Amino acid sequence: MSDTGPGEAHDTIDALLDEQRTFPPADDFVEQALVAGTFLYDEARQDDEGFWARQAADLVDWSQEWDTILDWQLPYANWFGGGTLNVAHNCLDRHVEAGKGDKVAFHWEGEPGDTRTITYRDLLDEVSQFANVLKGLGVEQGDRVNIYLPMIPEAAVAMLACARIGAPHSVVFGGFSSQSLADRINDAEAKVLITADGGYRRGEVFPLKPAADEACDASPTIDHVVVVKRGGNDVTMVEDRDHWYHELMDGASTDCPAEPMDAEHLLFLLYTSGTTGKPKGIMHTTGGYLTHATFTHRYVFDLHPDTDVFWCTADVGWITGHSYIVYGPLSNGCTQVMYEGVPNHPGNDRFWELVEKYGVTIFYTAPTAIRTFMKWGADEPAKHDLSSLRVLGTVGEPINPEAWMWYHEHIGGGRCPIVDTWWQTETGGIMISPLPGATTTKPGSATFPLPGISAEVVDDAGESVDVGGGYLTLTRPWPGMLRGIWGDPERYEETYWSRFPGRYFAGDGAKLDEDGYLWLLGRVDDVMNVSGHRISTTEVESALVSHPAVAEAAVVGATDATTGQAVIAYVILRGGEEVDGEALRAHVAAEIGAIAKPKQVYITPELPKTRSGKIMRRLLRDVAEGRNIGDTTTLADSSMFAELQAKAAAATED
Ligand code: WT7
């Protein structure tokens, strides 16, 4: 554990607890809602395993029914043992077989304005073809496939093709560097990499293939690289290793049976940051994950699959994209919008233009995006007819009540319920959230655990807290839970199950108010949350120290009005070396990716340390946020601190 704790968040929670407004579901919403009242909660409380089994039977197609609902050998869960199913069949074939082949799966829009309309039949054909292509490249059940793509339909096609043949995928966000990609490929020992020449972002083509090439140079397990043509930028194709997607697809058969997989077959790995420098390969399996994703997508968003148009603005490189662009929505057979680029190209109203154009009814985005829209002003959404919207969602970090109210008023027109959804890469799907037809919301609170989910706030000693602050824990296994960390069972047990015996520890602080509402307070470990993305302080520190001029580095996340937290770095240079902050920022971007780039780099002769040599991050955060540092008598040398504080003050004034 780090030196931080839930006490840190007291200022935030004091502010949040002044929040007295409540928003009960409107009568006309309740009337049409899938869930009104408490029946689903009551049912799940009586028998959570039976509840999940019913969801699995109602919402998912099985080739063979399970023998056991849950086999729980703490901390290892086996859901629906003996059952078999195919995820791609559930997302595609069953809808086409039910006569919905002509239904639009994706209204895809490229950043330059080009569009593609993809029906369920189109998607089934393309996925089947690509599954055959993968087989042709030697991919067999159980082989790992890496995916490094922009937000183009081929990303969903590649994931589903892997699922169809039982080859676990590992998607790496296109904003990560070649080094990050190589680390992930090597950890997973992937055979095939699927990438693109480039994609569009901020009006320009950003190249992906050169980074993929560099990664492959450092990844001996990759036999083949499949390249989607999107950006049109020049690329070098390595003979025998690299193949154009369109050439392989040309003539590939659309006949590829979806083979049943065991319920616990590995569906995918997704890497996320922990408190050490090495990202964790989070393992998700087939039956439980699909049940959880399908159930939550349907009930949290009150999905009416025949009429709703769902838009989740996440990238498929994150868990949100996996669960709420690919698996949940397609399993539910709904129509979606998928958009390639940034929200401000060509204008600051691009998202609202798309909502109007496609008649989006359910919109799911991150608080950091909402705060950005607030900065751009209410005039931007006001240019468009947003009356099709009926449910709004947020994910990724706590939403401040001001942003919640702005979202409610200026995007939701005061009529749309907002679901603030708390979950993690590890949980696979939404865990704590309102149900829009059943829950009275409070701006800034994620409200209650979903039916079938058991959460508790505990104090330092692991004692359950009824009212007040502490650590968020989960007390019962759930179907979408991670099954482990790839290749590292000790780390799995240590990270999630050791802090509070018998409980899953999420790493988040939380508080329960007098009405039993949950308020999330942010991370309590050395993990930052920048724009809803997890970045480990250690990972950025390692990247900085890998620069030849850097002797030592300390990184903290400081509160930032737009991104939630910002990466702030304090760096000690090696004797005789000189380098400026900008070069170090660029170095971190090259090592990890632009998302991890520090907002500020302070070059300092010393770092504040305890007598035992531990860097005092809390103090560094106080300095970065311009707070009074208070008592520093435990510092080894407090004299340097005045200097750091003065630099921070100067930077805030800029
Ligand atoms: C961490 C998980 C789940 C997809 C996006 C991020 C924070 C997430 C909320 C929320 C407060 C939230 C937590 C969590 N978080 N949603 N609604 N309210 N905090 O996935 O990268 O695995 O990060 O994001 O700190 O632990 P992730």
Side-chain angles (χ1 to χ4, degrees):
M1 281 313 302
S2 70
D3 56 344
T4 57
E8 294 257 305
H10 274 161
D11 292 352
T12 330
I13 197 61
D14 285 348
L16 286 174
L17 281 187
D18 285 340
E19 183 53 58
Q20 297 294 344
R21 287 168 288 204
T22 55
F23 293 83
D27 291 345
D28 56 342
F29 192 93
V30 172
E31 240 163 70
Q32 59 79 59
L34 299 181
V35 183
T38 61
F39 77 93
L40 216 52
Y41 295 94
D42 300 339
E43 194 186 312
R45 206 171 293 120
Q46 275 166 24
D47 170 15
D48 59 352
E49 290 180 29
F51 169 81
W52 284 118
R54 212 152 33 252
Q55 300 310 327
D58 288 354
L59 300 174
V60 173
D61 247 20
W62 297 78
S63 308
Q64 180 161 343
E65 213 194 307
W66 56 87
D67 310 316
T68 326
I69 303 173
L70 170 67
D71 177 18
W72 178 224
Q73 311 284 337
L74 193 136
Y76 294 97
N78 234 295
W79 282 90
F80 309 119
T84 65
L85 70 162
N86 185 287
V87 168
H89 164 85
N90 273 277
C91 292
L92 304 168
D93 308 56
R94 64 162 163 167
H95 306 313
V96 175
E97 286 163 14
K100 293 208 226 159
D102 293 331
K103 181 169 180 170
V104 174
F106 287 112
H107 291 291
W108 177 81
E109 178 133 340
E111 194 184 71
D114 51 332
T115 61
R116 281 170 68 184
T117 307
I118 299 166
T119 65
Y120 274 91
R121 182 175 296 104
D122 297 336
L123 198 56
L124 172 59
D125 285 349
E126 195 161 333
V127 166
S128 302
Q129 282 183 298
F130 195 57
N132 281 326
V133 164
L134 289 175
K135 283 188 190 169
L137 294 176
V139 177
E140 291 174 9
Q141 188 172 327
D143 289 343
R144 276 82 59 207
V145 171
N146 255 89
I147 299 175
Y148 186 59
L149 285 171
M151 278 295 284
I152 52 178
E154 286 79 0
V157 170
M159 291 164 75
L160 290 161
C162 287
R164 197 167 188 86
I165 61 172
H169 54 69
S170 168
V171 183
V172 177
F173 172 57
F176 275 120
S177 67
S178 59
Q179 184 59 53
S180 297
L181 176 61
D183 291 345
R184 285 158 176 75
I185 293 174
N186 286 325
D187 191 73
E189 298 180 281
K191 263 189 166 173
V192 168
L193 171 65
I194 303 157
T195 187
D197 49 358
Y200 287 87
R201 222 181 144 69
R202 286 180 227 291
E204 284 169 26
V205 171
F206 71 93
L208 276 174
K209 181 66 166 54
D213 287 338
E214 259 180 63
C216 287
D217 289 345
S219 307
T221 57
I222 293 289
D223 296 331
H224 294 284
V225 179
V226 181
V227 187
V228 179
K229 204 183 199 76
R230 167 61 187 155
N233 47 312
D234 281 343
V235 296
T236 323
M237 298 292 276
V238 175
E239 219 180 308
D240 297 330
R241 187 196 71 183
D242 297 356
H243 319 268
W244 285 108
Y245 177 89
H246 60 270
E247 287 177 6
L248 293 175
M249 290 289 275
D250 190 27
S253 162
T254 56
D255 183 22
C256 177
E259 281 162 45
M261 304 290 153
D262 283 341
E264 286 294 346
H265 182 73
L266 185 67
L267 178 63
F268 64 84
L269 296 175
L270 185 59
Y271 285 80
T272 189
S273 294
T275 52
T276 70
K278 191 173 181 284
K280 306 176 276 199
I282 302 300
M283 296 162 67
H284 282 291
T285 59
T286 300
Y289 171 80
L290 189 69
T291 301
H292 192 159
T294 310
F295 168 78
T296 50
H297 179 252
R298 183 165 296 220
Y299 290 104
V300 169
F301 298 104
D302 188 50
L303 181 79
H304 293 60
D306 292 337
T307 46
D308 275 319
V309 177
F310 181 77
W311 183 17
C312 165
T313 68
D315 190 283
V316 287
W318 310 109
I319 190 69
T320 311
H322 283 57
S323 301
Y324 301 108
I325 295 177
V326 180
Y327 295 116
L330 295 176
S331 171
N332 279 320
C334 80
T335 294
Q336 294 186 81
V337 169
M338 183 180 189
Y339 171 59
E340 178 184 34
V342 297
N344 55 345
H345 183 84
N348 289 349
D349 62 339
R350 184 68 184 273
F351 274 17
W352 318 125
E353 182 195 314
L354 293 176
V355 167
E356 179 173 13
K357 176 171 175 188
Y358 295 109
V360 173
T361 59
I362 308 173
F363 180 72
Y364 191 31
T365 196
T368 187
I370 298 167
R371 290 191 296 267
T372 304
F373 301 141
M374 285 171 77
K375 267 201 309 212
W376 292 341
D379 292 351
E380 299 293 343
K383 289 179 193 160
H384 298 277
D385 177 5
L386 306 182
S387 61
S388 57
L389 290 170
R390 57 178 210 93
V391 178
L392 302 176
T394 74
V395 60
E397 54 178 314
I399 180 162
N400 40 313
E402 303 72 46
W404 196 103
M405 288 306 300
W406 190 91
Y407 197 30
H408 178 71
E409 217 169 292
H410 296 289
I411 307 304
R415 76 183 177 276
C416 302
I418 297 181
V419 290
D420 172 357
T421 64
W422 179 90
W423 59 296
Q424 310 180 294
T425 305
E426 291 88 339
T427 70
I430 298 169
M431 302 291 281
I432 300 173
S433 165
L435 290 182
T439 312
T440 294
T441 53
K442 297 187 184 186
S445 167
T447 73
F448 309 106
L450 290 178
I453 302 297
S454 304
E456 275 179 14
V457 176
V458 297
D459 63 17
D460 264 314
E463 298 294 329
S464 163
V465 169
D466 289 333
V467 177
Y471 305 94
L472 180 66
T473 65
L474 302 168
T475 59
R476 291 279 295 147
W478 63 99
M481 71 186 279
L482 77 165
R483 299 302 196 262
I485 295 176
W486 180 253
D488 203 344
E490 292 82 28
R491 193 175 178 196
Y492 170 63
E493 291 169 21
E494 163 67 26
T495 307
Y496 304 107
W497 302 94
S498 69
R499 176 76 174 82
F500 302 107
R503 297 166 180 272
Y504 172 91
F505 175 43
D508 281 318
K511 181 148 182 162
L512 280 163
D513 72 13
E514 282 76 9
D515 304 323
Y517 280 67
L518 269 162
W519 301 76
L520 276 305
L521 304 177
R523 305 288 307 184
V524 295
D525 53 15
D526 292 334
V527 176
M528 300 171 283
N529 186 326
V530 180
S531 299
H533 301 308
R534 263 155 74 176
I535 300 168
S536 127
T537 53
T538 323
E539 211 176 340
V540 181
E541 285 165 5
S542 310
L544 285 164
V545 175
S546 75
H547 190 283
V550 174
E552 207 178 337
V555 167
V556 296
T559 304
D560 183 274
T562 306
T563 58
Q565 285 192 311
V567 181
I568 308 292
Y570 298 87
V571 169
I572 302 178
L573 297 184
R574 287 175 193 274
E577 293 287 347
E578 265 189 50
V579 66
D580 63 4
E582 198 42 52
L584 293 178
R585 293 176 71 237
H587 180 71
V588 173
E591 287 289 306
I592 306 175
I595 46 164
K597 204 158 103 170
K599 185 177 174 193
Q600 275 295 334
V601 177
Y602 298 113
I603 312 266
T604 167
E606 257 173 288
L607 287 167
K609 288 186 182 159
T610 61
R611 289 180 204 285
S612 64
K614 201 167 181 289
I615 293 173
M616 299 177 79
R617 287 169 204 291
R618 191 177 48 77
L619 218 63
L620 291 174
R621 201 158 38 234
D622 285 347
V623 171
E625 291 171 358
R627 266 196 302 279
N628 189 328
I629 58 167
D631 180 22
T632 57
T633 47
T634 49
L635 278 176
D637 173 11
S638 53
S639 62
M640 46 72 68
F641 228 68
E643 195 183 332
L644 268 186
Q645 228 174 350
K647 280 192 194 172
T652 332
E653 279 156 25
D654 291 346

